[in-house]
Amino acid sequence: MAEATPAGSGGAPRPAAPAADGFLRIRGGVGGLSFQFEELLAGAGALDALVGRLGSLEAEADAVRRALFPYQDDSYTSGSNAIIAAGDGARALGRIRDDLEKLCRDVRASHREYEFTEARNSLLLRIGRFGPGYGPLWGLFGLPALTVRDVVEDEASLASGRLAILLGVPADVARGMGAPGGSPGVRDAVHALGLAPGLDFLRPRPVRIAGSETRIEDVDASPAGLLFRAGTVGGRSGEIEVLRFDAGSRPAWVVILPGTQLDGLPAGTNPFDTLGIAEGLGYGSAETAAAVRQALREAGAEAGEPLAAVGYSQGGIHAMNLSQDKAFLAEYDLKFVLTAGSPVGGISPGPGISSLHLEHEQDWVPGADGLANPDTRDRVTVTLANPLDIPPLTDIGLGPGHRLGNYAAGAEAIAASKDPSLQSSTAALAAVVGGGGAAMVTRFALRRDPMPAQQGGRRVEVQRGGPDGKPDGKPDRTHDGKRGRKPAGYRARKAEV
């Protein structure tokens, strides 16, 4: 508990928001406000029972006082003293009961104030604002001079454009999906876009395994090390990575999912192109999750074995969707999800699944779904506030804040932090993967089924490589703005597209 005010000291118990740790702004976890309030409310519930018991004792003491009245004249002095003592005891019990009742009321009032602030500022955390008004809850009881209308209007004016950038559809089409009387949620908007004429390519199509290779490597299983691997996988078209660690009594697994990849494969066949964002935001990553399950089976994972999922940008959406996919959770024991630069505020993981989310205050992508990550015991969000170098315009990608290198550096700072929420979260990851070391690494090439030819002989294409629609021979390009090449000796089976 960051702060507790004893009864009778003049103030209600009020938890304190986690203090910034260097350039890390921390929300959620065991040091978060939500969990502190859970503890306080549980304590208030226990005090309610005590208040009821004190009320009964107060009534009993008053009944004793009244029962002494007929005997007062038998020995006036001692009888009077007994009556007075019984009355004093009843009043003392009443004062204690009143203090505890006030304490319980103040705790609940403080919690209502917290919930109001959470609702009032829920959009601020991830819209790229700076300074004292940045983020929900940092000024919990001294609210910044910014109204909900200001925030909502700002975001409503930007949401359709951001959605259009991510999905690669015309901004005017995205703006046209607004419902009468208000704008729909991003996930509902993706569904609606998929039903629009000419945009049926946004609907998910089956994703299959096209090739794989396995090797033994020395793996850094820290948050930074796993994010670096996401960057390496992200330089290869349509690939994921499955890691097997055998340090414990049974194997533990990690799935690495890359960010968005913009070229390198025939149009629409890379599961991690912009259409993958649509599948993740609007359809729960249903097809990608099925492919991940198949990849785990082929790698040798058995039902019930512990697993962690790691994803950068789009990959983080898919990783978090695994945490609420009933079919996936019925087969594998997903324990932990690590994301960086991913819009996952609208995804609620299943019970017992911990997650750690990295965002940067200058990265707009994590806020693209218009929802802040919930503040819960098992869910920690870290917003990086370090200054960034501005890259050349030709290499800016989705902005300097979205660079994977920034997030990897933030993950290194997280591993060194003494904050209780971060220590608990990194310990939850280490409980799955241990300290790293030798691991069996299997890389799987995934391919999405191409769009079927439409009636009238016209085929819908979303992206093109060369003029003939085949890969243009250029290195793969990701939304991080960087290019990567397949390593020497890479031998994946030829993808069938």
Side-chain angles (χ1 to χ4, degrees):
M1 183 67 64
E3 176 182 345
T5 306
S9 64
R14 291 189 175 189
D21 185 357
F23 64 90
L24 307 178
R25 291 171 175 168
I26 305 154
R27 184 169 182 260
V30 296
L33 286 165
S34 180
F35 179 61
Q36 293 180 54
F37 271 114
E38 286 178 16
E39 290 186 310
L40 277 177
L41 291 174
L47 287 178
D48 283 336
L50 180 58
V51 166
R53 178 60 180 152
L54 287 174
S56 298
L57 292 175
E58 182 183 2
E60 290 178 12
D62 188 64
V64 169
R65 181 182 68 86
R66 292 176 181 275
L68 290 174
F69 285 162
Y71 305 99
Q72 184 176 15
D73 291 337
D74 292 349
S75 177
Y76 189 81
T77 300
S78 60
S80 297
N81 290 338
I83 291 171
I84 292 171
D88 288 343
R91 286 187 292 273
L93 288 171
R95 286 192 296 271
I96 296 173
R97 176 181 54 77
D98 289 342
D99 285 345
L100 291 178
E101 283 183 333
K102 182 177 183 300
L103 178 62
C104 292
R105 288 195 304 269
D106 288 347
V107 167
R108 293 187 171 94
S110 181
H111 182 246
R112 286 193 298 272
E113 185 177 359
Y114 160 76
E115 288 185 320
F116 166 77
T117 307
E118 177 78 350
R120 182 183 188 271
N121 291 344
S122 61
L123 294 178
L124 285 175
L125 182 62
R126 306 202 316 212
I127 64 175
R129 291 189 178 273
F130 303 89
Y134 175 82
L137 313 179
W138 307 118
L140 179 62
F141 301 116
L143 303 178
L146 189 66
T147 68
V148 176
R149 180 176 178 179
D150 293 332
V151 178
V152 173
E153 284 185 346
D154 283 349
E155 283 305 286
S157 65
L158 297 173
S160 60
R162 290 177 173 179
L163 181 62
I165 293 172
L166 284 175
L167 301 183
V169 300
D172 57 342
V173 175
R175 283 193 295 269
M177 302 315 298
S183 299
V186 169
R187 297 170 196 279
D188 293 335
V190 172
H191 272 287
L193 285 167
L195 298 175
L199 295 180
D200 55 339
F201 61 83
L202 292 175
R203 302 172 198 169
R205 303 193 298 276
V207 176
R208 311 180 193 279
I209 294 176
S212 65
E213 67 166 358
T214 300
R215 59 166 66 97
I216 302 298
E217 294 184 17
D218 190 53
V219 174
D220 177 2
S222 69
L226 294 176
L227 286 178
F228 273 124
R229 296 197 74 88
T232 301
V233 174
R236 305 172 182 182
S237 295
E239 293 191 3
I240 66 171
E241 200 168 65
V242 176
L243 314 178
R244 171 175 170 154
F245 295 93
D246 290 303
S249 58
R250 62 188 307 187
W253 301 84
V254 180
V255 175
I256 308 288
L257 299 162
T260 302
Q261 300 166 347
L262 298 182
D263 52 23
L265 287 174
T269 62
N270 186 344
F272 303 107
D273 60 14
T274 53
L275 301 186
I277 302 172
E279 186 204 356
L281 288 178
Y283 299 92
S285 304
E287 299 294 344
T288 300
V292 170
R293 287 169 60 198
Q294 182 61 34
L296 283 166
R297 294 189 197 106
E298 293 192 14
E302 297 183 0
E305 291 183 336
L307 170 74
V310 178
Y312 162 62
S313 193
Q314 179 188 153
I317 305 174
H318 298 308
M320 276 300 287
N321 277 329
L322 296 178
S323 74
Q324 65 175 9
D325 186 299
K326 293 181 179 179
F328 188 89
L329 297 179
E331 188 166 356
Y332 296 107
D333 186 14
L334 182 61
K335 294 289 192 181
F336 194 89
V337 179
L338 171 64
T339 72
S342 305
V344 294
I347 304 173
S348 299
I353 300 175
S354 300
S355 61
L356 173 62
H357 310 288
L358 279 69
E359 304 175 350
H360 197 285
E361 65 179 5
Q362 295 186 35
D363 184 6
W364 61 267
V365 176
D369 61 352
L371 297 168
N373 294 336
D375 174 352
T376 68
R377 175 179 183 172
D378 295 325
R379 193 164 186 174
V380 181
T381 301
V382 180
T383 302
L384 311 181
N386 56 306
L388 301 173
D389 295 328
I390 305 300
L393 291 178
T394 55
D395 194 33
I396 201 166
L398 290 180
H402 196 62
R403 297 271 180 167
L404 180 57
N406 299 329
Y407 285 119
E412 291 176 344
I414 286 172
S417 173
K418 301 300 182 183
D419 179 84
S421 291
L422 298 184
Q423 288 186 327
S424 176
S425 186
T426 53
L429 173 60
V432 180
V433 301
M440 183 179 73
V441 179
T442 306
R443 294 191 177 96
F444 292 91
L446 306 185
R447 297 292 181 268
R448 183 193 297 118
D449 285 0
M451 279 288 293
Q454 295 188 346
Q455 292 183 355
R458 184 177 181 182
R459 180 186 179 89
V460 175
E461 294 184 344
V462 182
Q463 301 172 351
R464 291 181 174 84
D468 58 355
K470 297 181 180 179
D472 57 10
K474 296 178 181 178
D476 303 334
R477 180 162 48 89
T478 71
H479 261 182
D480 193 26
K482 298 180 178 179
R483 295 180 178 269
R485 298 183 183 273
K486 292 182 174 57
Y490 176 76
R491 300 183 304 278
R493 297 196 301 269
K494 183 178 180 181
E496 297 177 358
V497 297

